[in-house]
Structures are given as structure tokens and as C-alpha cells.
Amino acid sequence: MARNQDLNQKMRDQRKEQILSNALALFATRGLSATKISDIASASGVSQGLIYHYFRSKEEVFVELVRTAFERLNNACRELEKLPLSPREKIRRATEGLLHNIEESKDASRYYLVITQATASEAIPEEAKAIIDGERMLPYEVMKHIIEEGQADGSIGNHDASDLSLVFWTSIKGLAIHRAVHGTKFKMPDPEIIMSMFV
Amino acid sequence: MARNQDLNQKMRDQRKEQILSNALALFATRGLSATKISDIASASGVSQGLIYHYFRSKEEVFVELVRTAFERLNNACRELEKLPLSPREKIRRATEGLLHNIEESKDASRYYLVITQATASEAIPEEAKAIIDGERMLPYEVMKHIIEEGQADGSIGNHDASDLSLVFWTSIKGLAIHRAVHGTKFKMPDPEIIMSMFV
DNA sequence: GTCTATATCCAGATAGAC
DNA sequence: GTCTATCTGGATATAGAC
């Protein structure tokens, strides 16, 4: 009895994951409003109506993806901060990790695109806006903090720490977009280019 | 007679400009498909039907903006290449000019957003895709060329020139998006941060 | 849990009056 | 040149059968 319920729950979760993953690909390449529920359904190989068995609306699917996107990015930032490394090494680790991640995982670069779109667009659900308002600053702040530590110990040059953090993240996001758009036919740049901003 | 025709033509052009400018603001903040013809009309203070007196469709408005965006950016790149300056000075001039432009002109940063959206989205008119295919590489190539010259004369460091050009432009675009989204409440970073990638 | 059929709504585009 | 009224198509979301 309990086993059956577990199994059902598992299948339900799997189907939900499948829908979310296909929706992610579509939202990333077409945006929220140009993506039709029927697109998501046919990409997932199910009928249009079935989507509503798992989600209340198209917007709910989008909100869930935005939430996941920020959760992953911000958790990674918190982990980074705790790493037992020098400030400079933290930044190198982050840069290499991010670029590697963007290169290897289709989903990773797609999540960045969804974050960028969601941040850049006013035409998104209120709930998504609330998530963005609460979450979007954390990566900038963590990076700024690490930079300031590096400047205190002399291992990072004296550009304004907020500026540096901003340019760091805009570069990363720009590369993620590039990768999501142009796929594997473009190779990631040498992380040392990014690192040279911190000299 | 001819004077009247001239005047009419001029008013027609002005109205067209007005519609395009309002459409640019809306496309930049909401994207193509979330922007309604009626939004453009009411932002421009005219009736919905009147838009169709000036454009065949919403997509035609979008295509015209994409065309203008690439025209301006690519012309600026061609001008840059011809400037009687050393490679390093060209890059400094470009960086300062771009950041200043993005900071001062609402339209400039909006055009970048439209370019980015158009490049990143599959849900755009075929005609826009054709423009992008033909135009999008020019800025990367011009910058790559300048970098190679600078590497030949020893004034620019030896990172891969394609990589450097890519990171340069993704940084600029990222900052333009940031500015278009967050408006005047964020200040542009010191151009020297970007310049330090070229050391 | 899944599908088909359908109700409802809304946006793009057109027609015609002024 | 400009507006109002309207047609039409298509997308979201629901209802109900299996």
C-alpha cells in the first residue's frame, strides 16, 4: 500500500521534472510569452490538457523555474564563500567552475538565460518578480565581499569593489547567454581573461 | 504644392519615429511577444488601428528596430576601425564611448536589449533572423582585428584574440542590459576594469 | 493519469466612417 | 490621417470521458 503510494508519487515527480525540463529549454530559447502550453506539452510528449494536471498555469511553471534557478545560483555562492581558500583562489575557483558548468550543462546555461530574461522583463508574473527582488543581489554581494577581502590582503587590485563585482557577473551572464544561443559550436574563453580584471 | 507634400512627409516621418521610439521602450522591457499593438498605440497616444497605417504588422515594427540597432552598432565599429589611433587607444576609446553612450542614452541601452533578445530568441520574424545572421559577427571581428594589431606591436597581452573579443562584447552587452533594466540608479563601472583584460 | 472536446477570451488585423 | 467597430484566429484553461 505505502509502496504503491511511493511509486505513484515518484512517477508524478518524474513527469513533473520532465515537463519542467522541456519548459526550461523552451522558455530559454523563446521567452515566456512566446512559449505556448501546447509547445511544452508536445515537447514532453503529452497532451495539452495534461500540463494542467501538474501545474495551475503556464506562469506557475515559469515561476518554479525561476525559483530553482536562483536557488542553485545563490546556494553555489554561499558555498563559495565558505570554502577554505584565499580570496583570490575563491574567485579563480568560481570563474573556472562557472565557465565549466556553462560549457558542460545545457540546463545550466538555460537557467542563466531564464534569470536574465526574468530580470530584464517586466512581463513576468508578480510572484517571479518577488523572487527576483529577494534573490538577485546575493551573487553581487558575495563577490563584492570576497573582492574586498582580497584588496585588504593586497592580492587583488584597487578597482572599486562594487564595479568589479558587477563586471564579473555581467561577463559571466553574457557568456552563458552566448553559450545557450550558439550551443557547442563556440568554445568557452580562457578563464584567465576574466581573472585579469582582478589584477 | 511641393512644400505641402514635404510637410506631410515630414509629419509622417515624425509620427513613425514616435511609434518606433515607444515600441523600442516596450520591446526592450517586455519583449516582442508580450508587447501588444495596443500597448504601442496607447504609449504613442494614438488609436490601435492607426499603427497599421504606418506598419504592416507588429513584426515589421520589430524588424525595423533590429535593423536600426545593428546599423548603428556596426557603423560605429567601422568608424572605430578607421580612427587614426593606436590599437590600444582604439579599444580605450571604444570602451569609454560605449559606456558613456549606454549611461547617457536610454535609447542606446534599449537597442542593446533588443539586439540581445533578438539574438537569443528563436521566436522572432524570419526577416529579423536574416539581419542578425548577416550583421552579428562584425563587432566581434573588428575587435578581434584591433586586438591582433595590438598584440603584433606588443601593446596588448597574449590572450587568445577571439576569446578577448568575445569577453569584451559580452561584458559591454551585459552592462547595457543592466542599465536598461535598473535605470539611472546604478552607476557605470570605471572603464579601466574592462581595459585591464587587455593587459 | 491521460486524453479529446470545447468554452472563453483576447490580440492581431481589416473595413469603413469622418 | 485618424478613429471606431468588427472579423478572425489562436491560446489558455476547463469539463468530462476513458
Side-chain angles (χ1 to χ4, degrees):
Chain A
M1 204 58 163
R3 285 196 66 82
N4 257 330
Q5 283 198 1
D6 280 6
L7 196 65
N8 282 344
Q9 185 59 39
K10 202 172 165 184
M11 287 183 66
R12 191 183 165 82
D13 289 350
Q14 270 182 6
R15 178 124 292 182
K16 233 185 143 172
E17 278 312 310
Q18 177 197 16
I19 292 170
L20 282 168
S21 156
N22 286 298
L24 174 61
L26 286 160
F27 287 145
T29 50
R30 314 178 61 80
L32 169 60
S33 93
T35 300
K36 292 172 282 189
I37 287 277
S38 60
D39 295 335
I40 301 173
S42 63
S44 311
V46 300
S47 76
Q48 210 243 64
L50 190 62
I51 305 292
Y52 291 93
H53 196 76
Y54 293 88
F55 299 91
R56 302 170 78 85
S57 66
K58 184 173 77 165
E59 309 214 320
E60 194 181 277
V61 181
F62 185 77
V63 168
E64 192 140 333
L65 288 171
V66 169
R67 182 175 292 118
T68 305
F70 275 104
E71 223 168 79
R72 292 191 185 188
L73 176 60
N74 286 2
N75 278 341
C77 289
R78 289 189 199 97
E79 293 301 320
L80 175 69
E81 206 167 14
K82 284 187 288 187
L83 247 37
L85 296 170
S86 74
R88 214 188 153 67
E89 282 311 308
K90 281 183 190 168
I91 294 174
R92 171 166 278 115
R93 181 75 66 93
T95 307
E96 286 169 354
L98 286 162
L99 293 186
H100 181 261
N101 206 235
I102 288 167
E103 179 153 34
E104 292 306 311
S105 152
K106 275 196 168 57
D107 270 10
S109 55
R110 286 173 181 161
Y111 273 121
Y112 280 103
L113 253 183
V114 167
I115 285 184
T116 306
Q117 278 176 20
T119 311
S121 173
E122 287 171 12
I124 57 165
E126 283 307 314
E127 206 179 336
K129 287 188 192 170
I131 295 171
I132 293 167
D133 277 352
E135 306 287 333
R136 75 173 181 83
M137 289 305 292
L138 191 134
Y140 294 105
E141 278 157 9
V142 167
M143 184 52 63
K144 184 184 172 197
H145 185 221
I146 296 174
I147 291 167
E148 284 168 342
E149 285 178 345
Q151 289 174 333
D153 75 18
S155 65
I156 291 176
N158 277 312
H159 289 124
D160 180 89
S162 302
D163 282 6
L164 249 179
S165 171
L166 176 68
V167 179
F168 173 80
W169 281 112
T170 53
S171 307
I172 297 289
K173 281 185 195 174
L175 289 168
I177 292 170
H178 207 86
R179 151 77 180 162
V181 172
H182 297 111
T184 45
K185 65 174 176 280
F186 112 99
K187 86 175 204 316
M188 274 291 151
D190 184 351
E192 289 307 312
I193 294 178
I194 306 259
M195 288 309 294
S196 56
M197 292 192 292
F198 295 92
V199 173
Chain B
M1 206 56 164
R3 285 197 66 82
N4 257 329
Q5 284 198 1
D6 279 6
L7 195 66
N8 283 344
Q9 185 60 39
K10 204 173 166 185
M11 287 183 65
R12 192 184 164 81
D13 288 350
Q14 271 183 5
R15 177 124 290 183
K16 231 185 144 172
E17 278 313 310
Q18 177 197 17
I19 292 170
L20 282 168
S21 158
N22 287 298
L24 174 62
L26 286 160
F27 287 145
T29 49
R30 312 178 62 80
L32 170 60
S33 94
T35 301
K36 292 173 283 190
I37 286 277
S38 60
D39 295 336
I40 301 173
S42 62
S44 311
V46 300
S47 75
Q48 210 242 57
L50 190 62
I51 305 292
Y52 292 93
H53 196 74
Y54 292 88
F55 299 91
R56 304 170 78 85
S57 67
K58 182 172 79 165
E59 309 214 319
E60 193 181 276
V61 181
F62 185 77
V63 168
E64 192 141 332
L65 288 171
V66 170
R67 183 176 292 119
T68 304
F70 275 105
E71 221 167 80
R72 293 190 186 189
L73 177 60
N74 286 1
N75 278 341
C77 288
R78 289 188 200 98
E79 293 302 319
L80 175 69
E81 206 167 15
K82 283 187 289 187
L83 247 38
L85 296 171
S86 74
R88 215 186 154 66
E89 282 310 309
K90 281 184 189 168
I91 293 173
R92 171 164 279 117
R93 181 74 66 92
T95 306
E96 287 170 353
L98 286 161
L99 293 187
H100 182 261
N101 206 234
I102 289 166
E103 180 152 35
E104 292 305 312
S105 152
K106 276 195 166 60
D107 270 10
S109 54
R110 286 172 181 160
Y111 273 121
Y112 281 102
L113 253 181
V114 167
I115 285 185
T116 306
Q117 279 175 21
T119 311
S121 173
E122 287 171 12
I124 57 165
E126 283 307 317
E127 207 178 336
K129 287 188 191 168
I131 294 171
I132 292 167
D133 277 351
E135 306 288 332
R136 74 174 182 84
M137 288 306 291
L138 191 133
Y140 295 103
E141 278 158 10
V142 167
M143 184 53 62
K144 183 183 173 199
H145 186 222
I146 296 174
I147 291 167
E148 284 169 342
E149 286 178 344
Q151 290 175 331
D153 74 20
S155 64
I156 291 176
N158 278 312
H159 290 124
D160 180 89
S162 302
D163 282 6
L164 250 180
S165 170
L166 176 68
V167 179
F168 173 80
W169 282 113
T170 54
S171 308
I172 297 288
K173 281 186 194 172
L175 289 169
I177 292 170
H178 208 85
R179 152 77 180 162
V181 172
H182 297 110
T184 45
K185 63 175 178 278
F186 111 98
K187 85 174 204 316
M188 275 289 149
D190 184 350
E192 287 308 312
I193 293 178
I194 305 257
M195 288 309 294
S196 56
M197 291 192 293
F198 296 93
V199 173

